[in-house]
Amino acid sequence: MKLTNRLRQVPMPKLDVEERIRSFKEVALGYTEEQAIAEAERCLQCKVPRCVEGCPVGVDIPAFIRFIREGKFDEAVEKIKEKNALPAICGRVCPQENQCMGKCILGLKGDPINIGGLERFVADYERKKGFSRPEIKPSTGKSVAVVGSGPAGLTAAAELAKMGHSVTIFEALHAPGGVLMYGIPEFRMPKDIVLSEVNYVKSLGVKIVKDVIIGRVVTLKELFEMGFDAVLLGTGAGLPKFLGIPGENLCGIYSANEFLIRVNLMKAYAFPKYDTPIKVKGRTAVIGGGNVAMDAARSALRLGSDVTVIYRRTEAEMPARREEVLNAKEEGVNFTFLAAPTRFLGDEEGWVRQVECVRMELGEVDDTGRRRPIPIAGSEFHSDFETVVVAIGQRANPIAVLNDPRIKLTRHGTIVVNPETYQTTMEGVYAAGDIVTGNATVISAMGGGKKAAKAIHAFLTGENPKKGR
Amino acid sequence: MSWPWPSEFRILQKDELAPGIKRIVVYAPLIAQKAKVGQFVIIRVDEYGERFPLTLVDWSPEEGTITLIFQEVGVSTKKLGALKVGDRILDMVGPLGNPSRIRRYGEVAVIGGGVGTALMYPQVLALKEAGNKVTSIIGARTSRLLLLVNEISRVSDELYISTDDGSMGVKGFTSDVLKALLEEGRRFDYVFAVGPVLMMKAVADVTRPYKIKTFVSLNPIMIDGTGMCGGCRVRVGGETKFACVDGPEFDAHQVDFTELLRRLRTYRKEEEEAARIFDEKMKEEAHEA
């Protein structure tokens, strides 16, 4: 069998749907060596590679693909890690279709190169083989506190450690990884892979202190008093948004955060082996159309529920990755488009029983570039649901700086930074990731973490970009 | 940097205050250094454990220790209660929540029911130190379950006791005692209550007609304790608040206790199952030993 057809991607092997919906095992299985080489051979090795332009951290994509083609996987890993410390994560959850792959010239006539799949292949190859330690610059004698161990914090910590700074990450929860741990489910981002990436960062000399909430327990001022020379805030967009409609506090209604924290961080899917329960009854409604909504829907399905996603626009406007929507559909998630909940109705014991929705139609294009959904008067309808997950987005979590007037926040609760240097309104304090951008992607947080690390390095070594250059 | 970052939360002392109610002293220097009255910690006992909140009862910045008192009801508190002196708690984060409103009100009544009696002790102490005249009212199902009676008595100007079965003090509820005092013409400038939801609701109902500023410490289901999950949401004055970051103390006259009670019962069946499995496991272990 000929594996290579230049216009067609080597398909990513996936777990059978039947097996998927009964477990939390990872869905995408990853390329074999043979498949990876075959996919790499499709690459045109463009002289002016557009894929690199599409990468928020600027990975030299053609170069690492060339190494794969030649079977030089160690070199391929090294090439990626020049720019991206956490490829096993990016290879799995980056929205490549809008980034590198979206720019691939092959996509004009056929399928773009599965860059994410290849990145994942080499990352998994390295993990199985054991990480090699990159070059670490001699100690600068400076120390940096990184607040939050999600994508932004881990990336920045790795970069800063390689530059020779002493780095301590503070994590509020009991496990490092941030949204990779509490938010993205096992079937998309296996937790042992997150932990092994975290261990890689630790192997660079980064210390991780868990169970400490900077801002609540230890203030920014105290971090400087105890000798840190700079602070990076990578605290993410961890606050849930609710709809603010009647009945939202009925039992059985979860924020996506609570639902996913129970399932992912607390492993409620393995109750009673794990003590944290989750209650998913016969029919579940997931409100929203983003990746978090897909994660919640597919988790509820795996917990045995009949799941319907309710989204106020149409499928075309869904912010979720196409691949995840297709996975959800394959697995049997139902979709109700052009509808929005107006209230929740409960029983005498305070449990949700019904969701009342109003039908929507699409109007003019709004400032998000999508057509605005408009309620159709009098079109309310009721559907029976015993579980509801509200997945309409997360807000920035400014808990770390709430009590510090020196740090300026926007009206959305995100931290104001200099877009060049990522410095906040307080000298020596930087911020990156969702706490700056509002909820975005893992890779944009990583990109931010990397840029902030550069700026912190400049600040610590005296080339303060604020003072010129 | 000699900061006491959390590493090991070792149990230094442990005793049983009443059947099923335990007191532990835990080495947690950072928490001890930062603790204020009314705050809580989130605990995860072991790798399989839930995250759950416990109110700080006492702390010593000098010794780096905190004191917790809890009733063994579910799997998590049973697990915690099963730890011995020298064992360590896997995770503990805090202090969390807003500190209590401790100020000079004048005459105050502090009311505690069940395990809440232990939780009110730091309130009584702090309110007394702030220059208030403190009347404490404590209650339990029966006299054996009354906690810290001597300690509370020592720091209160007055102490009233009630038990459901009349085995000590007045037969009835703490709210009955409060009601009787108010009907006798006693006036309070501030009332604080902590204990079972129905008790706190009853206290709120008693003080409402007298328009006495009344605060309660709420104990909804919580996971992260940082405002992330929204599991602890409570309705206060018609608005949804998160007990972990907006509380845990709220104006009792504004709290929707019915909703709180319902939400607390969300996992009753699962909690019973987990507790039963744990009990069986402990029985087997005891049998093998």
Side-chain angles (χ1 to χ4, degrees):
Chain A
M1 186 181 76
K2 191 165 175 286
L3 269 170
T4 321
N5 169 346
R6 199 140 233 181
L7 288 181
R8 290 287 156 250
Q9 244 175 43
V10 176
M12 170 63 73
K14 286 203 277 189
L15 206 62
D16 282 345
V17 170
E18 280 311 302
E19 201 180 345
R20 269 195 235 169
I21 59 175
R22 273 181 278 119
S23 79
F24 276 75
K25 283 186 202 153
E26 188 173 19
V27 168
L29 298 172
Y31 282 143
T32 61
E33 257 183 52
E34 202 186 15
Q35 289 167 331
I37 292 171
E39 180 66 8
E41 277 173 350
R42 295 175 56 228
C43 178
L44 298 177
Q45 294 289 314
C46 303
K47 286 277 182 303
V48 185
R50 297 175 60 200
C51 50
V52 181
E53 286 168 32
C55 177
V57 295
V59 169
D60 188 347
I61 294 164
F64 97 76
I65 292 182
R66 191 167 58 241
F67 282 128
I68 295 179
R69 189 191 275 186
E70 294 163 1
K72 295 178 180 163
F73 305 136
D74 293 292
E75 286 86 342
V77 177
E78 218 172 287
K79 189 43 85 183
I80 295 176
K81 284 205 162 173
E82 282 174 9
K83 300 283 181 179
N84 178 358
L86 310 166
I89 292 167
C90 290
R92 286 175 166 80
V93 298
C94 260
Q96 291 104 4
E97 61 279 13
N98 306 326
Q99 300 179 348
C100 52
M101 272 169 71
K103 298 255 180 176
C104 176
I105 202 89
L106 280 175
L108 294 177
K109 279 190 178 170
D111 299 338
I113 297 285
N114 187 350
I115 301 169
L118 293 177
E119 180 181 27
R120 171 189 162 145
F121 166 75
V122 286
D124 289 355
Y125 163 85
E126 187 196 25
R127 195 176 61 257
K128 274 174 213 136
K129 196 191 70 147
F131 293 114
S132 54
R133 198 177 143 97
E135 189 207 347
I136 292 178
K137 295 264 160 46
S139 170
T140 59
K142 302 282 183 185
S143 61
V144 184
V146 173
V147 184
S149 64
L154 284 176
T155 304
E159 294 297 323
L160 289 162
K162 284 193 273 183
M163 293 167 184
H165 305 295
S166 154
V167 184
T168 304
I169 300 183
F170 294 94
E171 169 55 47
L173 294 172
H174 60 259
V179 71
L180 305 167
M181 248 357 231
Y182 75 74
I184 306 178
E186 181 76 19
F187 55 79
R188 212 150 69 79
M189 186 69 255
K191 301 308 153 215
D192 58 345
I193 289 174
V194 179
L195 287 178
S196 93
E197 297 285 279
V198 167
N199 284 335
Y200 166 73
V201 174
K202 280 192 195 167
S203 78
L204 306 174
V206 173
K207 288 186 279 298
I208 300 184
V209 176
K210 55 177 188 152
D211 294 325
V212 173
I213 303 178
I214 301 298
R216 264 284 159 178
V217 179
V218 175
T219 62
L220 276 182
K221 184 165 165 272
E222 286 169 323
L223 284 177
F224 284 104
E225 280 167 8
M226 65 185 75
F228 286 105
D229 301 295
V231 175
L232 174 72
L233 303 167
T235 45
L239 300 187
K241 275 188 195 165
F242 284 99
L243 291 152
I245 58 175
E248 205 162 18
N249 291 355
L250 288 166
C251 297
I253 301 182
Y254 298 91
S255 72
N257 267 4
E258 178 181 359
F259 191 79
L260 292 171
I261 286 173
R262 283 181 182 273
V263 172
N264 302 327
L265 181 70
M266 307 312 296
K267 301 197 179 352
Y269 60 84
F271 177 86
K273 182 184 174 198
Y274 285 83
D275 298 335
T276 303
I278 190 151
K279 218 156 182 159
V280 173
K281 297 194 180 175
R283 283 170 51 89
T284 299
V286 175
I287 318 297
N291 286 320
V292 174
M294 294 307 104
D295 285 347
R298 296 171 68 199
S299 297
L301 190 94
R302 283 160 171 75
L303 294 165
S305 193
D306 177 23
V307 183
T308 302
V309 169
I310 300 175
Y311 179 52
R312 59 191 183 143
R313 292 180 163 107
T314 73
E315 185 167 356
E317 288 85 21
M318 281 178 80
R321 293 185 67 186
R322 188 76 205 132
E323 183 187 327
E324 302 309 331
V325 178
L326 293 178
N327 277 333
K329 283 189 167 176
E330 262 175 30
E331 290 164 11
V333 171
N334 309 299
F335 288 82
T336 298
F337 294 110
L338 291 170
T342 44
R343 62 179 168 145
F344 300 106
L345 304 164
D347 60 20
E348 57 287 347
E349 286 176 2
W351 274 86
V352 63
R353 286 286 170 232
Q354 281 196 328
V355 180
E356 182 190 88
C357 288
V358 62
R359 302 258 179 226
M360 311 292 272
E361 59 188 349
L362 293 183
E364 299 295 305
V365 171
D366 66 12
D367 53 11
T368 69
R370 295 173 301 173
R371 292 177 65 192
R372 184 195 306 278
I374 300 165
I376 303 172
S379 67
E380 283 80 2
F381 63 100
H382 295 82
S383 316
D384 294 341
F385 290 105
E386 297 87 37
T387 308
V388 175
V389 183
V390 179
I392 55 168
Q394 290 79 236
R395 291 178 295 126
N397 187 355
I399 189 170
V401 294
L402 270 186
N403 301 315
D404 203 314
R406 291 170 295 182
I407 306 277
K408 225 171 111 187
L409 301 178
T410 67
R411 64 191 171 90
H412 302 293
T414 54
I415 295 177
V416 174
V417 296
N418 174 330
E420 301 294 313
T421 64
Y422 286 72
Q423 186 178 302
T424 66
T425 46
M426 180 176 167
E427 191 176 61
V429 180
Y430 295 74
D434 283 3
I435 189 63
V436 172
T437 58
N439 75 320
T441 59
V442 166
I443 188 68
S444 84
M446 287 180 172
K450 214 177 130 108
K451 286 184 193 145
K454 270 193 191 139
I456 290 171
H457 178 69
F459 168 71
L460 292 177
T461 52
E463 315 149 26
N464 191 345
K466 233 181 64 178
K467 298 172 185 156
R469 274 170 293 285
Chain B
M1 272 169 262
S2 61
W3 267 65
W5 300 126
S7 51
E8 296 210 318
F9 304 100
R10 211 166 279 284
I11 297 180
L12 304 177
Q13 284 173 46
K14 180 186 173 187
D15 59 347
E16 190 161 35
L17 294 180
I21 298 179
K22 294 194 171 148
R23 168 165 62 189
I24 53 174
V25 177
V26 185
Y27 184 67
L30 180 62
I31 299 171
Q33 200 170 308
K34 294 285 183 173
K36 293 201 177 73
V37 178
Q39 292 188 301
F40 62 90
V41 290
I42 295 255
I43 288 178
R44 192 172 74 122
V45 178
D46 62 27
E47 195 191 334
Y48 301 99
E50 286 179 284
R51 292 172 67 96
F52 65 102
L54 282 181
T55 301
L56 289 160
V57 175
D58 201 2
W59 50 91
S60 162
E62 297 77 29
E63 320 217 328
T65 58
I66 61 167
T67 303
L68 301 169
I69 295 176
F70 56 95
Q71 185 162 20
E72 295 174 323
V73 278
V75 62
S76 297
T77 42
K78 281 170 190 270
K79 269 186 175 177
L80 186 60
L83 296 183
K84 300 177 201 65
V85 171
D87 287 350
R88 48 176 291 224
I89 295 165
L90 189 58
D91 290 286
M92 195 187 294
V93 57
L96 298 173
N98 298 301
S100 303
R101 294 154 184 78
I102 302 296
R103 55 196 67 142
R104 188 164 179 171
Y105 296 100
E107 283 213 32
V108 304
V110 183
I111 301 153
V115 77
T117 313
L119 309 183
M120 75 181 244
Y121 172 64
Q123 297 279 340
V124 174
L125 202 63
L127 285 165
K128 183 69 195 158
E129 276 173 8
N132 294 287
K133 181 172 180 226
V134 182
T135 299
S136 294
I137 306 172
I138 63 174
R141 257 190 0 258
T142 183
S143 63
R144 280 190 317 156
L145 295 174
L146 286 164
L147 308 173
L148 306 186
V149 181
N150 292 332
E151 287 89 337
I152 291 169
S153 166
R154 211 177 307 129
V155 292
S156 307
D157 292 286
E158 277 182 280
L159 173 66
Y160 294 89
I161 296 174
S162 72
T163 46
D164 298 5
D165 64 359
S167 53
M168 191 190 263
V170 179
K171 182 173 178 351
F173 303 122
T174 50
S175 52
D176 299 334
V177 175
L178 178 68
K179 191 166 185 227
L181 288 173
L182 290 169
E183 281 171 0
E184 276 170 22
R186 282 289 298 276
R187 286 296 171 265
F188 296 105
D189 303 297
Y190 176 71
V191 170
F192 177 85
V194 55
V197 174
L198 288 175
M199 184 211 89
M200 294 191 286
K201 182 177 189 300
V203 168
D205 291 342
V206 167
T207 60
R208 190 175 285 115
Y210 294 92
K211 298 191 167 60
I212 302 171
K213 186 187 177 80
T214 304
F215 273 75
V216 285
S217 177
L218 303 187
N219 58 337
I221 295 172
M222 241 178 232
I223 310 177
D224 59 282
T226 65
M228 278 177 64
C229 77
C232 66
R233 59 195 194 273
V234 287
R235 192 172 292 275
V236 183
E239 271 179 55
T240 292
K241 300 278 183 191
F242 290 2
C244 64
V245 289
D246 301 321
E249 295 173 10
F250 291 103
D251 181 343
H253 298 150
Q254 303 289 323
V255 171
D256 183 340
F257 287 104
T258 309
E259 184 183 278
L260 173 65
L261 205 56
R262 283 172 166 174
R263 289 185 61 81
L264 275 167
R265 287 181 185 148
T266 303
Y267 297 102
R268 202 165 37 173
K269 209 178 109 233
E270 288 76 12
E271 284 160 1
E272 282 166 9
E273 185 192 350
R276 184 181 49 75
I277 292 169
F278 180 79
D279 286 343
E280 277 166 17
K281 206 178 110 204
M282 292 304 277
K283 235 182 261 168
E284 271 171 38
E285 277 175 21
H287 187 71
E288 279 162 24

